[in-house]
Amino acid sequence: MQVIPVDLYESLEELDPKIKAVILKLIKYWGEIVKRDDFLELKKTVEKLADSVEKLAEVQKKTEYEVRALAEAQRKTEERLNELAEAQRKTEERLNELVEAQR
């Protein structure tokens, strides 16, 4: 329960018990209400969170671009490797032909 100043409590003691009970409930209720400072702090936190989400989205976008670039580089590397393997196979074929011709 909310702390009640002594002079207010003494004034409450002079009231009808039903009225006193209602006032005490109101004091308790007001003590549980979000205060303006609490709201402003929450607002700042939400703004920071929104900024973080925006930055994260930008980083995600860059990462996706880089992943696509890496995938393309990987594809080109595999293509070039296949070309090199084919050139190696042809070189070996030609070498075998030369060895056969030399015999």
Side-chain angles (χ1 to χ4, degrees):
M1 181 183 267
Q2 190 78 2
V3 176
I4 303 170
V6 174
D7 60 333
L8 177 59
Y9 188 78
E10 289 171 350
S11 296
L12 286 173
E13 287 297 316
E14 296 171 5
L15 296 176
D16 178 84
K18 288 182 181 181
I19 295 173
K20 176 183 170 187
V22 170
I23 292 174
L24 288 173
K25 284 181 184 180
L26 280 172
I27 291 171
K28 182 179 179 188
Y29 173 75
W30 287 332
E32 294 172 355
I33 293 176
V34 175
K35 306 216 177 12
R36 185 174 193 281
D37 289 343
D38 296 334
F39 177 76
L40 293 175
E41 184 178 335
L42 178 62
K43 183 179 175 185
K44 286 179 186 177
T45 301
V46 169
E47 287 171 354
K48 286 179 185 177
L49 181 60
D51 288 344
S52 295
V53 168
E54 188 176 322
K55 288 175 184 173
L56 183 60
E58 290 173 14
V59 170
Q60 178 72 24
K61 188 175 179 181
K62 289 177 184 176
T63 301
E64 288 172 359
Y65 173 78
E66 291 170 358
V67 166
R68 283 193 296 274
L70 286 171
E72 179 62 17
Q74 176 72 26
R75 186 191 64 73
K76 287 179 180 178
T77 299
E78 290 173 356
E79 191 176 284
R80 182 69 179 130
L81 191 58
N82 288 337
E83 291 171 0
L84 289 172
E86 180 62 20
Q88 177 71 26
R89 187 189 61 75
K90 287 180 181 177
T91 300
E92 288 173 358
E93 255 180 39
R94 184 69 180 131
L95 193 57
N96 288 337
E97 289 172 8
L98 289 173
V99 168
E100 194 62 36
Q102 194 169 9
R103 284 187 189 160

